[in-house]
Amino acid sequence: MDVIHTAVWVSDLERTREFYIDGLGLTENWSFTADDGVENVYIGGENGEFQFKYDPAGGPEIDSGTMAHVALGVDSTDETFERVLERTDPPVQTEPTTMDDIGVRVAFIEDPDGYVVELVEELE
């Protein structure tokens, strides 16, 4: 298991790109637009990245520190999901689902403080 990224909602994707890429010198690694229209841009360095989420339709209200989720790389989303449900019974946001367009199987659960944790299994 490994920490993959931290997802953060942003109010202005271009200003965010300018700050992290032009200003800080990080790299835009990849991006995709979800079925709901939310743009997802992954910016980082060698050892990790941020997932910046932007909803052109308005999305959630952005307060300082608004975080979407923390992603963990797992060998099996289904096995990890079942184990954590069995041992701690967390609230479930999204049951295991496959995102064929980006080659992953994911699930979303909440930790004891309500922070969302994404379980990500890379498919081959």
Side-chain angles (χ1 to χ4, degrees):
M1 189 174 302
D2 196 12
V3 175
I4 299 174
H5 64 258
T6 298
V8 180
W9 285 102
V10 298
S11 59
D12 185 325
L13 189 53
E14 290 315 307
R15 287 188 60 209
T16 299
R17 278 184 165 123
E18 288 172 5
F19 178 82
Y20 285 93
I21 296 170
D22 299 337
L24 292 175
L26 295 173
T27 302
E28 182 170 328
N29 297 329
W30 65 294
S31 64
F32 73 95
T33 301
D35 293 339
D36 60 3
V38 173
E39 296 178 44
N40 295 267
V41 177
Y42 293 77
I43 295 174
E46 202 173 297
N47 298 310
E49 59 191 1
F50 291 106
Q51 174 188 4
F52 292 110
K53 298 174 69 68
Y54 173 71
D55 187 350
E61 184 175 326
I62 307 299
D63 293 323
S64 178
T66 300
M67 184 178 77
H69 64 264
V70 173
L72 298 177
V74 297
D75 291 331
S76 169
T77 295
D78 294 285
E79 288 176 14
T80 305
F81 181 81
E82 290 303 321
R83 184 176 65 242
V84 73
L85 256 60
E86 186 178 292
R87 293 181 182 177
T88 67
D89 194 32
V92 175
Q93 284 203 344
T94 305
E95 301 239 349
T97 186
T98 300
M99 299 175 73
D100 289 318
D101 53 333
I102 58 171
V104 296
R105 185 155 174 80
V106 300
F108 293 85
I109 55 177
E110 293 180 20
D111 79 359
D113 290 308
Y115 292 110
V116 178
V117 177
E118 177 186 17
L119 306 174
V120 181
E121 172 187 355
E122 291 191 27
L123 303 175
E124 307 213 30

